[in-house]
Amino acid sequence: MDLSVLPRILTWLPMTKHAHTDIPHGTLGSYVLGFALSIFLTLLAFWVAPQLGTLAVPAIVITALIQLFVQLIFFLHLGSESKPRWNLVIFSITGLIIAIVIVGTLWIMSNLEHLHMMPLTTQELYEDGMVSPAHELH
Amino acid sequence: MKKHDTHEQVSFGLWVYIMSDCILFASLFAAYAVLHTQTAGGAGGAELFDRSFVLIETLILLTSSFTCGLALLAARAKNTVGVWLSLLATFALGATFLGMELSEFGMLVSEGHSWAASAFLSSFFTLVGTHGLHIFVGLSWLIALFIYLGIRGLTPKMSKRIVYFSLFWHFLDIVWICLFSLVYLLGSL
Amino acid sequence: MFGILTPEAFIHGPIETGAQLIVVGGALSVVLLLTITKRWKWLWTEWLTSLDAKRIGIMYLILAGLMLARGGVDALMMRSQQAVAVGAGTGYLSPDHFAQVFTAHGVIMIFFVAMTFMFGLINCILPLQIGTRDVSFPLLNSISFWLTATGAVLVNLSLVVGAFAATGWLAYPPLSEIAYSPGVGVDYYIWALQISGIGTLLAAVNFIVTIIKERAPGMTLMRMPIFVWTVLGSMLLVLFAFPILTGTMTMLALDRVLGMHFFSTDLGGNAMMYVNLIWAWGHPEVYILILPAFGIFSEIVPVFSQKRLFGYTSMVVATMAIVLLSFGVWVHHFFTMGAGANVNAFFGIATMVIAIPTGVKVFNWIFTMFRGRIKYTVPMLWFMGFLFSFILGGMTGVLMSVPAVDFQLHNSLFLVAHFHNMVIGGVLFGYFCGFAYWFPKIFGFGLNEMLGKVSYWLWIVGFAMAFIPLYILGMMGMTRRLDFVDAASGYHPLLVLAAVGAGIIALGAAAQFICYAVSTFERKRHMDRTGDYWNGRTLEWSVPSPAPFYNFAHIPTVHGRDAWWTMKEKKQTHEAGYQDILLPKNSCVGLLIAGFSFLFGFGMVWHMWWLLPVSLIGIFVTIVVRSFADETEYVVPAHLVKATEQRHHK
């Protein structure tokens, strides 16, 4: 997807490029819009999201994700460089690695904690795949 | 003849470096995620975090990111006064942010919630402190830019350096979004 | 003023004093030699401040050679201690000293031999292979090297002042926490790794940008030599893995200095998280080292089989698959820590999966050799030795990827044998292979083949003799890192055999140094006059040997894979005439930043807090002053280029 069209559509302003290099940069319009969106999303996250009860956690996470992309597109101009989009490629791999490291760590550590910190019945251990059915027969 | 360190290479190199910095923060986030329940009987995030204080911090940092963008536009328009004003504003806002962060830390420590009190607080101080350290590096970078700007003025080299600085400064903004959402907001629920 | 540094830190036992004298004496004799021969200015302008990637590469190689000697002595000490400390004998090393020796051995071999050797070869060859005059950021390259050297200096300084960590090369807490390791050893470890780690990370940024942005016209991604691909993969891994190491080391340092509780045993700390994080870096690290070795083999096998590489595309896909998969297997280093069967099974299967792309590579090399006219040169011999060792190591690795089997073999000598099979037989043999292959390009003359073969056979025989007994000992139940074994255990005969094997390896290493010395002495007989010593296929062989300081008088235009081979086939010639060339000027910024970083590290180790602001301000001032440097490049006029080229082609 060509992310560079987003600010262009939203601001009706052309995204200009340096004549001699490929470094994209914003315009006053795109900065103002990015700033306004960020403020809006921040206020949403601080004032509205925590009031949503059970939906508070997903609401906070989602506003954070949206704001992440707003900043990446309006301030860091991600995706608006000319092809091949190495910045975007490296950024995507980074995102994947971050996901692997954080999710992996949480999975491994919660698994350990589960096993070491809490007294479990054989039935629970079996359900978690920590003992085999043969073990249960004893 | 080919010139070394061309604009394209430097901004791409800086981007690549920033990606590695993201991984550094990811490992600190992972540590915080594992340890944030380990309060050792002490206070947790819900008791310690002041949401409105963090909101003010966030608004200040967001504004500094905006003024940093304005510096970029001013540099392209060859507006030296504009560059000075917007970069000074960025510096002032960044320094205020860092001051607020330090005063929050000082408050926590004086109330007995120091980094040595529990694993939760260790990981909290380290995660937020590392972001603060990056802000400090950004402010030092700004001072270096001021020195150059004061002596040499707004040369083409200087305009490029503002672009590089803005890349770093916007990145710190993005880290802070993750921080206030995942640490302060989720922690204070 | 001096923090916790007291005169007692300089006083050691007799063996440590010997090491102290060797370090101090060695340093003093180098200083003396330079002063007597009046070479200081030459050293400063030609080497220390040089921003030429080839020069920086050679400095990396020298550092790797020195550290290999240091790490090798550590290995010999361990093997001889284990051979004599049986039953009534207690050996000559105290338990604490033995622990320091095996810690230093691991740290030095991984960080300051393997990584340094790798960056040496990359610096010397990669810019030539992609047809560029330099890396993207020459000054950053110099900074990276000097930060790596600073780390090495800190590790070796611990021989003279204080002591090194006695925790094992990964310094697992709680042992490495201040409560159980109150000395400065772990701090030396942390700051040596932090400083050299930053150097490594910056080098990775540099080479990623260089590979992506500096390739010669016509060299599309799928025309890059496989070595370039594997370096790209390796550097991406550095970029994504080293920050995790930095983060983890920072947490450990904060635990030790500020009394935090990341990995402590109280107030909610969790030592297992350290193990998890350090291996999230540590496993990719294995592939950081082995990928460039794979690249070297992919370069030399076609040259010495006199055929093009079999399966180029599958080689590229396999490399990138390894890059990705290497981030999904880290639990196999700690199956026994107590995660449930689901976690262990997932990571066990992922470990088996990563053997597939590796197997693809092995088959590609074998198919490249198939029906080729193989020349059994020294580089090719190293490749053969690698195949033997790496397949053995790979098989035992897949064996241990089964968690149930790993429970039996974890932390036994079986594991030690396995990873030495990979790191010596895979990584080190790969770099030796590359060094022997590229030696004529780097230094302008070839190596004595006979002495090279002697050294190879000593290495391979010694290697088998030193490590196959360890497999058996591991199966017999002997755990690693023992400074003493009971006579009734029955381990002794095999330990003696392993010690003899280590001695033979030492002879092999000595034969290598003799080979370099003899080849230098008789270099007139092996001069590389064509620049194409082996009838090569890639661009580094298209320039004279050693490569002129500007690499290419004309930036080549690439018309296919095996760029130089294509040029030779088409009898492609350069355009006539020469042009001015722009090159980076020397700079002492790298040395200055490394010097201040050393002060910072030393201040952290010895709690001399005032050194920290001093060194940080020093770095800041260095950078600000450098930001005013306008003329960072100089012009090599066309007539000088012409004269240099004509001298080479005479």
Side-chain angles (χ1 to χ4, degrees), chain C residues 36-357:
Chain C
I36 290 172
T37 55
K38 299 202 173 85
R39 287 298 189 106
W40 278 107
K41 190 163 185 290
W42 164 83
L43 186 73
W44 179 261
T45 53
E46 294 292 317
W47 294 95
L48 303 186
T49 59
S50 173
L51 300 193
D52 180 349
K54 300 181 288 299
R55 293 284 166 96
I56 291 173
I58 291 172
M59 291 195 285
Y60 266 117
L61 292 173
I62 292 170
L63 181 65
L66 286 172
M67 291 297 107
L68 182 67
R70 159 84 210 268
V73 170
D74 288 337
L76 289 174
M77 285 169 83
M78 279 187 282
R79 282 278 139 261
S80 52
Q81 165 78 10
Q82 286 193 329
V84 295
V86 181
T90 51
Y92 60 101
L93 294 174
S94 66
D96 179 67
H97 191 193
F98 185 78
Q100 283 187 44
V101 170
F102 68 65
T103 306
H105 171 77
V107 172
I108 286 176
M109 287 302 196
I110 294 289
F111 290 95
F112 300 112
V113 178
M115 293 297 281
T116 313
F117 205 160
M118 173 181 90
F119 277 115
L121 291 175
I122 294 173
N123 266 295
C124 286
I125 297 303
L126 188 125
L128 289 168
Q129 276 202 335
I130 60 172
T132 173
R133 295 210 168 103
D134 213 327
V135 295
S136 287
F137 312 116
L139 177 59
L140 193 68
N141 203 13
S142 162
I143 294 173
S144 298
F145 167 73
W146 286 111
L147 288 177
T148 306
T150 302
V153 167
L154 272 176
V155 169
N156 289 287
L157 190 68
S158 71
L159 281 176
V160 183
V161 196
F164 197 60
T167 52
W169 79 283
L170 281 184
Y172 279 9
L175 178 60
S176 55
E177 291 281 350
I178 197 85
Y180 307 101
S181 294
V184 293
V186 176
D187 300 296
Y188 267 122
Y189 168 88
I190 291 172
W191 293 102
L193 260 55
Q194 291 290 52
I195 292 171
S196 72
I198 292 170
T200 305
L201 183 80
L202 295 177
V205 171
N206 207 342
F207 284 107
I208 289 171
V209 178
T210 303
I211 294 172
I212 288 178
K213 300 279 182 189
E214 308 285 351
R215 298 189 311 275
M219 185 174 279
T220 56
L221 285 179
M222 291 308 274
R223 283 179 181 171
M224 295 196 309
I226 293 291
F227 180 65
V228 179
W229 268 109
T230 54
V231 170
L232 180 62
S234 167
M235 294 300 112
L236 283 171
L237 285 176
V238 170
L239 186 77
F240 297 133
F242 265 72
I244 306 177
L245 176 72
T246 308
T248 314
M249 285 292 127
T250 305
M251 292 179 220
L252 184 61
L254 289 169
D255 270 11
R256 288 179 62 87
V257 177
L258 292 182
M260 287 198 183
H261 294 283
F262 280 103
F263 313 121
S264 64
T265 44
D266 54 348
L267 298 177
N270 192 337
M272 292 187 285
M273 191 175 66
Y274 180 92
V275 178
N276 167 71
L277 286 175
I278 201 86
W279 282 114
W281 157 81
H283 194 81
E285 166 69 11
V286 178
Y287 287 92
I288 289 167
L289 297 175
I290 198 78
L291 278 176
F294 288 169
I296 291 167
F297 296 131
S298 309
E299 296 299 312
I300 72 117
V301 173
V303 168
F304 296 113
S305 304
Q306 310 190 59
K307 271 176 73 192
R308 62 182 290 190
L309 181 72
F310 181 90
Y312 176 93
T313 313
S314 64
M315 220 55 140
V316 172
V317 173
T319 303
M320 288 300 140
I322 289 174
V323 168
L324 222 74
L325 286 173
S326 68
F327 267 101
V329 299
W330 75 91
V331 173
H332 73 215
H333 296 272
F334 49 95
F335 279 145
T336 56
M337 200 162 80
N342 290 345
V343 169
N344 281 359
F346 176 89
F347 284 92
I349 292 166
T351 307
M352 294 173 202
V353 170
I354 206 168
I356 295 171

Side-chain angles (χ1 to χ4, degrees), chain A residues 81 84 86-87 90 93-94 96-97 100-101 104-105 107-109 111-113 115-117 127-131, chain C residues 208 212 221 236 239-240 244 270 272-273 276-277 324 327 330-331 334 337-343 346-347:
Chain A
E81 53 176 338
W86 285 112
N87 287 31
I90 299 259
I93 306 174
T94 309
L96 182 68
I97 302 291
I100 292 174
V101 170
T105 297
W107 187 38
I108 296 161
M109 295 310 293
N111 201 274
L112 283 166
E113 194 171 323
L115 202 61
H116 292 294
M117 309 298 172
E127 282 162 4
D128 289 347
M130 288 165 184
V131 292
Chain C
I208 289 171
I212 288 178
L221 285 179
L236 283 171
L239 186 77
F240 297 133
I244 306 177
N270 192 337
M272 292 187 285
M273 191 175 66
N276 167 71
L277 286 175
L324 222 74
F327 267 101
W330 75 91
V331 173
F334 49 95
M337 200 162 80
N342 290 345
V343 169
F346 176 89
F347 284 92

Side-chain angles (χ1 to χ4, degrees), chain B residues 11-73:
Chain B
S11 48
F12 179 59
L14 191 58
W15 180 258
V16 171
Y17 167 75
I18 285 173
M19 293 301 106
S20 81
D21 233 5
C22 289
I23 308 271
L24 174 71
F25 278 106
S27 62
L28 297 175
F29 267 108
Y32 178 79
V34 170
L35 296 176
H36 76 283
T37 51
Q38 304 296 325
T39 54
E47 297 103 90
L48 297 180
F49 299 151
D50 180 354
R51 218 182 282 167
S52 46
F53 186 82
V54 179
L55 176 61
I56 296 167
E57 276 186 303
T58 306
L59 293 177
I60 287 173
L61 198 65
L62 281 176
T63 313
S64 83
S65 215
F66 178 63
T67 56
C68 179
L70 292 183
L72 222 70
L73 297 175

